[in-house]
Amino acid sequence: QVHLVESGGGLVQAGGSLSLSCAASGDTFSTYIVAWFRQAPGKERVFVALISRSGGSTFISDSVKGRFTISRDNARNTAHLQMKDLKPEDTAVYYCAADADIQYLSSRNRQNKDKYEYWGQGTQVTVSS
């Protein structure tokens, strides 16, 4: 099992930047695929980004490509989502998710929130116009 805690959310003006962190505890962090999802009010939770166990592969949603970057530091048991050029439509609760077995090379799998076993509590990101 792995326990995930997100941090770094807040209020930022459009065009600004934020960096979210996901701190993991429990099982060996490097054995887990890590992803970020977000959920805007009244909407479904949607995929944002994924990083492989080693960090060598990343997948970014088209909606944030070029603005968001996912990374991880297995020595520190943390994953990060760097966000720049934020827009009001990026406003959402951002969740860190992890799974040991997800077949992430399939876009259908990695974008499916039901494929991830572990979730953090979420961190709010609000972008003002």
Side-chain angles (χ1 to χ4, degrees), residues 69-88:
T69 303
I70 188 171
S71 62
R72 68 189 296 165
D73 183 342
N74 286 337
R76 297 177 184 268
N77 295 337
T78 57
H80 303 279
L81 185 69
Q82 288 87 31
M83 308 182 293
K84 67 179 182 178
D85 191 21
L86 284 160
K87 304 176 181 181

Side-chain angles (χ1 to χ4, degrees), residues 8-82:
L11 174 64
V12 64
Q13 289 189 331
S17 301
L18 276 177
S19 182
L20 306 183
S21 295
C22 174
S25 59
D27 278 351
T28 305
F29 183 59
S30 61
T31 64
Y32 288 85
I33 303 298
V34 174
W36 288 91
F37 282 72
R38 68 185 182 184
Q39 188 166 18
K43 296 190 175 180
E44 293 275 325
R45 190 172 299 188
V46 297
F47 173 82
V48 175
L50 177 145
I51 189 164
S52 63
R53 295 175 183 86
S54 68
S57 296
T58 61
F59 300 87
I60 308 292
S61 167
D62 286 345
S63 63
V64 303
K65 195 169 291 182
R67 300 189 297 121
F68 289 15
T69 303
I70 188 171
S71 62
R72 68 189 296 165
D73 183 342
N74 286 337
R76 297 177 184 268
N77 295 337
T78 57
H80 303 279
L81 185 69
Q82 288 87 31

